[in-house]
Amino acid sequence: MLPGYAAEPEADLVAEVIVTTADGEQVRGSGYRVSTAAVLTAAHVVRAAESVTLRFNASQRDEWSATGTVLPTGGTGDVAIVLIERDGKSAHMPAA
């Protein structure tokens, strides 16, 4: 383990990424909250997204969800950023 790095991801920062495609299919993946307003996930999870829901602390009493907006990356890698939104605006959620 490197100094200054956690041995495991912080559970409060792990997101379930729930994608609905244009034909109504649901795709699920995972992501990790890298800031108060953004989740890092795999591009193949959100590539065909019509809508995205981000779910945190799944099945816990402090579970919460938010709408996500996929940022275009233009890259060739399998990385995507999803902005956490509240009320249609980018949200700055409390740091975990």
Side-chain angles (χ1 to χ4, degrees):
M1 184 170 73
L2 296 172
Y5 288 89
E8 295 182 23
E10 293 182 46
D12 288 349
L13 301 179
V14 175
E16 179 180 16
V17 180
I18 305 164
V19 171
T20 303
T21 64
D23 63 2
E25 178 185 1
Q26 274 203 340
V27 177
R28 292 177 185 259
S30 62
Y32 195 75
R33 202 166 106 201
V34 294
S35 76
T36 58
V39 170
L40 181 69
T41 191
H44 72 267
V45 172
V46 296
R47 188 165 286 127
E50 184 73 20
S51 68
V52 178
T53 300
L54 301 167
R55 182 176 167 208
F56 297 89
N57 300 324
S59 302
Q60 303 297 317
R61 63 176 167 60
D62 58 344
E63 175 181 321
W64 62 278
S65 297
T67 300
T69 299
V70 180
L71 287 181
T73 60
T76 58
D78 192 27
V79 176
I81 299 288
V82 180
L83 292 180
I84 301 167
E85 294 191 9
R86 284 271 170 99
D87 301 322
K89 297 180 181 176
S90 178
H92 292 277
M93 306 308 301

